[in-house]
Amino acid sequence: MQKIVDIVAGVTSGSLTASAVVEEHLARIKAREGEIHAFNLVTADQARADAEKIDADVRAGKKVGALAGVPIALKDNMCTRGVETTCSSKILQGWKPPYDATVVTKLRDAGAVFVGKTNLDEFAMGSSTENSAFGPTKNPLDTSRVPGGSSGGSAAAVSAGFAAASLGSDTGGSIRQPAALCGVVGVKPTYGTVSRYGLVAFASSLDQIGPFTSDVRDAATLLEVISGHDPMDSTSIPQDATSLVSVLDHGVAGMRIGRVTDLPDGCEPDVLERLEAAFDALRKAGATIVDVKLPSIQYCLTAYYLIAPAEASSNLARYDGVRYGNRVDAADLNAMYAATREAGFGEEVKRRIMLGTYALSAGYYDAYYGKALKVRRLISDDFARAYEKTDVILTPTSPSVAFKFGSKTDNPLAMYLCDVFTIPTNLAGHPAMSVPFGTGADNMPVGVQVLATTLGEQAMFKVAAELERSL
Amino acid sequence: MSEVSALPNGWQLVVGLEVHVELATKTKMFSASANRFGDEPNTNIDPVTLGLPGALPVLNKHAIELAMRIGLALNCKVQPCTFHRKNYFYPDLPKAYQITQYDHPLNVDGFLMLPGDVRIGVERAHLEEDTGKSTHFGGSSGRIHGSDYSLIDFNRAGVPLVEIVSRPDIRTSEQARQYVAELRSILLAVGASDAKMEEGSMRCDVNVSVHKPDTPFGTRCEIKNVNSIRSVGRAIDYEARRQVDLIEGGGTIRQETRHWDDATGRTETLRTKEDADDYRYFLEPDLVPLVPDQSWIDAVRSALPKLPAARRQTLAELCGVDKDGESALVVVERGQDGYVAAVVAAGGDPRRAVIYVQQAFAEQGANPKVPAKDLAALTILERDSKVTSTQAKTLLTDLIEAGGGDVATMASKRGFEALDTSAVEAMVDAAIAAEPGAWQKYCSGEEKALGALVGAIMKASKGKADGKVITALLQAKRP
């Protein structure tokens, strides 16, 4: 499978055509997509047309972008003008946005070729893609297992070679966890570095878009393209994209790597073994391991499962059948609202809307949502103290390797525990990425998570690059 | 001050007003669609306006500036502020939440002065966005109940609003009307809004309760659909009476929202507190706190124009009229106080200048065509008794029709002249002698006899004797 860097170099120099590249990827899709179901929609015709345009520009000597000819898949919660965007929900089935998300425009301007919209847990709520209204995605490495979620389709697309890279969204781990489970690189950047305009909101103060790629260099390349201030997003940090590719070869000599001594229980031994191996590799490369404590980490899961559903209950209230989406007619207004949302939303979405509404309701706000916001502040303070002593922190990404379909669907709480190591980052607004680091049980991939402080992407990528080199 | 809404049996009225004002910005509060009344439905819309998936709000800087102008004109403190979501379901609310301000609004703790130096507190004036407009078809009332279908125009959705909340300091329906009128003139003066109640760019909700003095305030009812200044007074008068009658009849006031029906002149229940929504307010995560820096606030403050109250004060001092009186109110409202000052500067008699302008310049706008010096000359003619007041009125009309002119010449052309005081006195003495009966009646206290005497003398003088002069002489001569 080809790297972004190689594709761009080839296409720009003319030694490769974008059309040939896209055909290769479309062939892999044709061969295995029926089995994997990474996509809600494969946009083959559009991809071929995009590729042809790039090739024509190259032939004409015109300048092409930093991602010229790169086949990219987009999670189906990012608005693509004129192309169905469903969030894997029945309520938006058939809906075509009249506008592009900012990241889509940036990719388009950079010459990327879109191969399709990928499957996800409905409205990005889940950790296995089993909550999709259109059927789950299978893990390409073992189709009896989940690819993770909520960006399961995007992770699988890169893992199976359907796209050279993909975009996902991460609210509590929805890029990093599927990346770990599918053996690819997945990055959640600092909150505010990548525009959310056009990303269908789940939890506004937590959501971030980020890349899935097959290696660290590709992730850095893609992230540089999609980052940067966007005036259409008021939470967008007012600065340009940070240079990341340039630091990849710096190594980690003299860097401090944090080990969390009060990590929550529940991590499988095979995963912990890979984490230890990661610490060893970094030590050998000249880094120092430092113990850090994050006392509030034990409250993060609970705080998240109050804050995220609360914001979601508000963000998803707009799906009322009035202006867009699928409506179920009824005798009067309230009956129409109820029938539309009953039919349109899946179980987990309904569960979180109810949880969130409850947490915000009069008489309960202070005890639940108000308290959760305080925990959020506590974890930020814990991280701030930790980052005085260390440059990055290393943890497992997921407590286990990819699990079997149906093994966690009986108990929502069991599913929620998948996010125990990824959630704290979202609460603090920090960056974190998952790097494949060998295999664990049943020969399934294990990901190691590198965490950094706000706008600490350079330190994070240096360590990730070193980990990748050490394999 | 006449107590138009005086309640019986010592009941006292308590009123608070919530006024929503649409700001005169080019574009909407959170998106770049046009903010314009009267366009084809659903033409000023965009992903943010419609609450499409993935859309995000971006603050309109000019809306903030106009909101600050309002706050500063109402003597508020401008402070760092945040935005909250107010969540409820209704088809004209595209996101199913309104972005508004909750516990940290932009402007707080101000006040508005009413005539008679009555101070009404302004609790807050905050920013929020307007909803779309629903029209219901098929029912008999035009409201949603009983309708067959509804159409929604989202042109208005997202239009910037400032909500101005008064403290419950208002005690009469007249004060309430004055508050709304004064607020409106302030909004116009600072250019924040065209404040047209008939177009919905200014909307009032009225909160009414009653109590006996030295007891806690009673339960209040909120009244909606009050669409004119006149209706504000009528709705308050009706509602206050309804509450008093209910309490005196042994009932209790239920805290509720009521609908004012202008045609029937009554309020009726819209929804009770039990039906009320729990809005589940929480901090808007798509926006960051707004912290206007001090230099911006200072710049807005110093750019504020002279406000109507200050202009009425200046006019009152210049012309010797009551700052809360009709002439000051009307002349400043029309923007003609500057013109009056120019007439005075041109040597005109101040009192006459303001009265002439009040009485005859209703159609003239802020820049009357009659040159200030010409009007000044007319005031002096009358002051010096060169023409009678009746003659002066005629000349005023002539001046306005002609758009100016030399009043002395115009007076001559008409053959106007006023007899001087001694000549008038001679005519008065002659009339007293000629009508001893009428004179006797007047001297013994019959005021009506005065009018007859004055009329007779004016007629005899062929209009050259000034009625005011005659009256003054007769009054002086009465023992």
Side-chain angles (χ1 to χ4, degrees):
Chain A
M1 216 186 17
Q2 290 162 307
K3 313 287 183 195
I4 290 176
V5 209
D6 298 328
I7 294 171
V8 175
V11 167
T12 320
S13 71
S15 63
L16 217 57
T17 61
S19 301
V21 172
V22 86
E23 282 312 325
E24 200 182 303
H25 287 81
L26 290 173
R28 283 196 281 265
I29 291 172
K30 187 159 186 224
R32 286 195 79 198
E33 169 59 9
E35 183 197 0
I36 307 284
H37 186 224
F39 292 97
N40 287 339
L41 181 68
V42 177
T43 52
D45 291 341
Q46 186 59 51
R48 288 185 175 113
D50 290 347
E52 180 47 51
K53 171 106 189 3
I54 300 286
D55 289 333
D57 284 347
V58 170
R59 282 195 298 269
K62 289 198 196 143
K63 193 168 187 296
V64 289
L67 297 174
V70 177
I72 294 199
L74 298 169
K75 187 175 182 180
D76 202 18
N77 63 354
M78 296 176 201
C79 287
T80 42
R81 185 199 201 115
V83 174
E84 193 176 356
T85 301
T86 68
C87 302
S88 288
S89 177
K90 287 195 248 174
I91 217 166
L92 282 180
Q93 193 167 17
W95 183 63
K96 293 183 182 174
Y99 76 107
D100 275 332
T102 295
V103 292
V104 172
T105 305
K106 288 189 164 203
L107 290 177
R108 210 189 286 288
D109 290 347
V113 171
F114 296 119
V115 292
K117 306 298 292 294
T118 61
N119 195 19
L120 58 149
D121 282 297
E122 188 180 358
F123 281 110
M125 301 184 193
S127 306
S128 66
T129 314
E130 289 169 294
N131 292 331
S132 167
F134 309 134
T137 297
K138 315 276 174 57
N139 191 315
L141 301 166
D142 178 345
T143 56
S144 72
R145 296 173 190 261
V146 303
S150 62
S151 314
S154 280
V158 173
S159 177
F162 295 163
S166 65
L167 290 188
S169 67
D170 189 312
T171 305
S174 290
I175 290 175
R176 293 161 285 158
Q177 185 253 21
L181 269 49
C182 290
V184 298
V185 175
V187 185
K188 185 203 90 68
T190 299
Y191 183 84
T193 52
V194 177
S195 170
R196 289 186 299 117
Y197 184 73
L199 171 69
V200 180
F202 158 18
S204 316
S205 73
L206 299 163
D207 295 343
Q208 271 293 275
I209 293 174
F212 288 97
T213 56
S214 54
D215 74 359
V216 173
R217 180 169 302 268
D218 277 3
T221 306
L222 187 42
L223 195 51
E224 281 181 11
V225 172
I226 62 174
S227 304
H229 176 62
D230 182 13
M232 297 297 281
D233 175 356
S234 301
T235 60
S236 167
I237 297 180
Q239 69 176 46
D240 298 330
T242 312
S243 164
L244 297 169
V245 175
S246 61
V247 307
L248 294 176
D249 296 328
H250 284 197
V252 300
M255 283 185 78
R256 300 162 300 170
I257 316 292
R259 173 205 297 277
V260 181
T261 54
D262 48 6
L263 213 56
D265 292 330
C267 195
E268 295 293 321
D270 56 320
V271 172
L272 287 172
E273 188 274 319
R274 295 315 303 152
L275 181 67
E276 275 317 303
F279 278 120
D280 283 341
L282 293 172
R283 197 183 293 113
K284 286 203 183 83
T288 319
I289 314 302
V290 175
D291 280 351
V292 296
K293 277 182 176 327
L294 298 173
S296 313
I297 201 169
Q298 58 178 311
Y299 306 119
C300 284
L301 203 71
T302 330
Y304 173 86
Y305 277 102
L306 286 168
I307 295 172
E311 294 183 11
S313 71
S314 178
N315 285 325
L316 269 65
R318 67 191 62 198
Y319 304 107
D320 57 7
V322 173
R323 291 160 308 289
Y324 51 81
N326 296 309
R327 181 196 297 181
V328 177
D329 279 311
D332 64 45
L333 182 64
N334 286 330
M336 186 280 278
Y337 282 154
T340 292
R341 291 162 68 84
E342 165 62 37
F345 288 143
E347 289 265 305
E348 184 60 29
V349 168
K350 286 177 183 154
R351 183 175 292 121
R352 296 198 193 189
I353 289 174
M354 291 199 290
L355 249 182
T357 307
Y358 184 80
L360 290 174
S361 60
Y364 297 103
Y365 178 100
D366 289 329
Y368 296 119
Y369 187 71
K371 268 272 158 57
L373 292 180
K374 292 179 181 175
V375 167
R376 190 166 189 176
R377 180 53 190 268
L378 288 179
I379 191 65
S380 291
D381 290 349
D382 282 357
F383 271 123
R385 270 188 289 274
Y387 285 118
E388 281 167 17
K389 311 183 0 182
T390 187
D391 299 310
V392 302
I393 293 172
L394 230 64
T395 71
T397 304
S398 161
S400 72
V401 298
F403 45 91
K404 300 273 188 185
F405 281 105
S407 63
K408 294 187 198 279
T409 47
D410 283 346
N411 181 0
L413 294 183
M415 190 68 82
Y416 295 167
L417 284 166
C418 293
D419 301 328
V420 67
F421 302 125
T422 48
I423 273 172
T425 310
N426 300 84
L427 290 174
H430 289 170
M433 64 191 286
S434 183
V435 181
F437 205 70
T439 54
D442 302 315
N443 223 30
M444 291 301 291
V446 174
V448 164
Q449 185 179 215
V450 185
L451 295 79
T453 191
T454 307
L455 296 174
E457 274 85 341
Q458 285 190 339
M460 183 178 76
F461 268 92
K462 280 187 211 175
V463 171
E466 187 61 53
L467 283 174
E468 188 179 72
R469 274 193 293 272
S470 73
L471 283 171
Chain B
M1 174 173 39
S2 85
E3 290 291 310
V4 177
S5 59
L7 295 170
N9 301 334
W11 286 100
Q12 206 165 75
L13 175 65
V14 175
V15 170
L17 292 173
E18 286 164 25
V19 178
H20 288 84
V21 176
E22 285 182 1
L23 298 180
T25 55
K26 272 176 49 192
T27 58
K28 296 189 175 185
M29 187 70 227
F30 296 116
S31 73
S33 283
N35 170 12
R36 228 175 10 235
F37 179 81
D39 286 354
E40 274 292 295
N42 293 312
T43 49
N44 298 326
I45 57 175
D46 60 80
V48 177
T49 297
L50 292 180
L52 292 190
L56 293 173
V58 179
L59 276 172
N60 179 326
K61 186 162 185 207
H62 193 54
I64 300 166
E65 166 120 2
L66 294 182
M68 289 204 292
R69 282 192 210 170
I70 294 174
L72 292 168
L74 293 174
N75 308 291
C76 293
K77 180 178 115 188
V78 178
Q79 58 175 17
C81 57
T82 55
F83 291 88
H84 272 68
R85 291 192 186 178
K86 177 181 181 182
N87 300 278
Y88 64 96
F89 289 90
Y90 201 67
D92 66 13
L93 188 65
K95 301 184 291 302
Y97 57 86
Q98 178 198 37
I99 301 178
T100 179
Q101 296 195 296
Y102 188 56
D103 52 0
H104 293 109
L106 179 65
N107 302 301
V108 288
D109 294 337
F111 62 88
L112 181 70
M113 298 302 294
L114 300 184
D117 294 325
V118 174
R119 181 174 155 138
I120 307 297
V122 169
E123 193 178 293
R124 53 192 282 151
H126 70 253
L127 277 163
E128 58 186 31
E129 54 175 345
D130 211 344
T131 62
K133 187 136 180 38
S134 306
T135 314
H136 309 292
F137 294 85
S140 53
S141 63
R143 295 164 65 187
I144 193 172
H145 308 286
S147 65
D148 293 329
Y149 63 95
S150 305
L151 298 179
I152 309 175
D153 178 12
F154 290 101
N155 283 353
R156 197 183 70 178
V159 163
L161 290 179
V162 167
E163 179 177 343
I164 303 163
V165 181
S166 83
R167 293 200 195 280
D169 295 342
I170 294 168
R171 292 286 170 274
T172 69
S173 61
E174 175 64 16
Q175 282 178 351
R177 295 196 294 117
Q178 287 169 341
Y179 176 92
V180 177
E182 184 67 7
L183 185 57
R184 182 161 192 276
S185 56
I186 290 173
L187 293 167
L188 291 167
V190 303
S193 173
D194 63 11
K196 292 185 185 168
M197 287 184 82
E198 68 278 14
E199 278 179 14
S201 53
M202 182 164 100
R203 315 197 281 255
C204 293
D205 293 334
V206 185
N207 291 290
V208 178
S209 70
V210 295
H211 74 132
K212 290 271 172 79
D214 300 319
T215 66
F217 283 175
T219 304
R220 67 181 150 100
C221 293
E222 179 189 32
I223 307 170
K224 287 186 158 326
N225 198 45
V226 180
N227 296 331
S228 67
I229 292 180
R230 185 164 169 268
S231 297
V232 168
R234 293 180 67 217
I236 290 171
D237 288 341
Y238 172 84
E239 178 62 17
R241 205 55 210 251
R242 181 191 78 86
Q243 292 191 10
V244 165
D245 290 349
L246 182 59
I247 297 170
E248 292 199 332
T252 50
I253 305 300
R254 198 168 49 169
Q255 187 182 341
E256 60 182 356
T257 301
R258 297 177 70 84
H259 174 92
W260 167 251
D261 187 325
D262 211 52
T264 61
R266 307 224 311 259
T267 63
E268 53 205 44
T269 304
L270 192 60
R271 56 178 175 269
T272 63
K273 186 174 164 210
E274 288 74 37
D275 307 331
D277 283 319
D278 170 10
Y279 294 117
R280 302 185 298 285
Y281 285 96
F282 69 100
L283 204 62
E284 169 57 84
D286 290 330
L287 293 173
V288 297
L290 170 62
V291 186
D293 61 56
Q294 194 57 49
S295 58
W296 188 16
I297 300 172
D298 292 341
V300 174
R301 186 188 281 110
S302 47
L304 282 180
K306 197 161 174 187
L307 296 177
R311 288 165 66 173
R312 292 194 296 265
Q313 178 74 30
T314 302
L315 184 67
E317 283 164 12
L318 181 68
C319 300
V321 293
D322 177 10
K323 71 167 167 58
D324 295 330
E326 187 70 14
S327 48
L329 199 68
V330 164
V331 169
V332 168
E333 172 110 11
R334 292 193 213 134
Q336 292 168 342
D337 48 321
Y339 176 76
V340 170
V343 172
V344 172
D349 173 71
R351 245 196 132 253
R352 286 180 174 80
V354 70
I355 289 171
Y356 286 4
V357 170
Q358 177 202 348
Q359 290 179 347
F361 279 60
E363 313 295 308
Q364 293 295 305
N367 295 301
K369 287 206 294 287
V370 177
K373 65 170 172 50
D374 293 345
L375 195 67
L378 181 58
T379 64
I380 291 170
L381 274 189
E382 198 203 342
R383 182 198 64 192
D384 295 348
S385 303
K386 297 282 201 301
V387 293
T388 67
S389 41
T390 312
Q391 290 167 345
K393 274 206 176 73
T394 306
L395 287 170
L396 183 54
T397 310
D398 290 348
L399 252 190
I400 291 171
E401 266 174 32
D406 177 60
V407 285
T409 311
M410 289 159 91
S412 279
K413 282 223 177 92
R414 280 203 178 260
F416 285 170
E417 56 170 314
L419 294 171
D420 66 35
T421 311
S422 51
V424 177
E425 188 164 10
M427 298 187 82
V428 166
D429 291 338
I432 289 172
E435 303 276 347
W439 178 242
Q440 264 319 304
K441 281 193 188 152
Y442 179 58
C443 288
S444 55
E446 270 194 48
E447 299 300 328
K448 280 188 249 173
L450 178 66
L453 280 166
V454 171
I457 296 167
M458 281 181 77
K459 194 168 169 209
S461 76
K462 295 194 187 20
K464 293 188 182 178
D466 189 316
K468 293 210 270 296
V469 174
I470 299 169
T471 305
L473 285 168
L474 284 167
Q475 283 169 340
K477 285 177 191 293
R478 180 165 64 173

